[in-house]
Amino acid sequence: MARLLKLLDPTISAYFDRRFPSSTGAGEQQKRNEFEEALRTSTTVYIGNLAFTTSDFQLYELFSKAGDIKRLIMGLDATKKTPCGFCFVSYFTRKDAEAAVKYINGSMMDGRSIRVDHDWGFVEGRQFGRGRSGGQVRDEHRTDYDQGRGGYGQLMWQEIETRQMAAVGQAEFDSNPVYNRQDSNRGRKRQQRENDTYQQQSRNPRARDDDDD
């Protein structure tokens, strides 16, 4: 039912921020109620699915069409301090914030359909990505290649780098004559042991690895 109400009420976001600073001692339901009330009165909107190359000047130009902008905050990679695909826009009035959600949500910018949603309000620290690598969490686990958001997701890049390092290490091993000579010596010793075992088994039929009689 709560999800249906959110679909019917455009002033409520389907997203719930678990880091929302509710009143002290508030239970889960009370926290959600306070969060939804903040969404209904906030003059801030959240913009997502941005390309990393989209500039604050582009965003300011687009979102000023909905009303006068009080503040625009670019989302940054917590480690690199570079744009990582989201931002916040605060207006002077609730009416302008609602206009931004109504008319700009789904607009194309730098070849991407951007998402505009009501936000409970910007506080210092929210401009940084929450992913382990510093960017957004969604980009940590993304397995598809997205040129506008840095290519593959962070975990996929780590897997690719691991495979590349393994391939380089194998190539160095194969090209190193010392490794090859050692490997060849081990092969000859193993073959000699197998020959000795075979000769022993030929002399003594009971001396078998799978002795079951």
Side-chain angles (χ1 to χ4, degrees), residues 11 13 35-36 57 68 95 118 121 131 136 144 150-151 162 185 212:
T11 65
S13 171
F35 177 74
E36 292 178 1
F57 299 104
D68 293 333
K95 180 180 178 180
H118 287 288
Q136 287 192 279
D144 61 311
T162 299
N185 290 337
D212 58 1

Side-chain angles (χ1 to χ4, degrees), residues 57-69:
F57 299 104
Q58 292 174 274
L59 292 164
Y60 195 96
E61 181 180 12
L62 176 61
F63 282 88
S64 61
K65 297 181 184 299
D68 293 333
I69 294 176

Side-chain angles (χ1 to χ4, degrees), residues 45-48 63 97 100-102 104-106 114-118:
V45 296
Y46 171 89
I47 299 93
F63 282 88
V101 174
K102 183 177 181 180
I104 304 179
N105 181 41
I114 64 174
R115 179 169 63 87
V116 185
D117 206 356
H118 287 288

